[in-house]
Amino acid sequence: MLNIISILVGLLSLLIVIPAQIPLLGWANWIALPFIVVGVVIGQLSSSNSGRNFCLIVLLIAAVRLTLGGGIF
């Protein structure tokens, strides 16, 4: 059950992260980061790793975008 919740939180985060890849919308990644961290924690509590791994991939995408944009753009 926790794995499904983690995947759903990851999908919600991904819905925020995808539009944030557009130039000048990078600030939306800062909104997605707390959701991603919650998804990782919930996924860690689960017996399966797929939800946690999915959230970590979304976190990697958001972190790379923030790094390339200087944290804002």
Side-chain angles (χ1 to χ4, degrees), residues 5-71:
I5 294 172
S6 177
I7 291 172
L8 290 175
V9 171
L11 286 173
L12 173 70
S13 302
L14 188 63
L15 288 175
I16 298 171
V17 168
I18 288 175
Q21 304 306 311
I22 299 171
L24 301 176
L25 292 179
W27 53 268
N29 285 314
W30 288 109
I31 296 170
L33 285 179
F35 292 116
I36 298 170
V37 170
V38 167
V40 169
V41 170
I42 293 172
Q44 185 65 33
L45 296 174
S46 172
S47 60
S48 180
N49 292 331
S50 59
R52 183 199 64 197
N53 292 342
F54 178 65
C55 287
L56 287 174
I57 291 171
V58 175
L59 176 67
L60 179 67
I61 293 169
V64 167
R65 174 62 175 94
L66 279 172
T67 302
L68 291 175

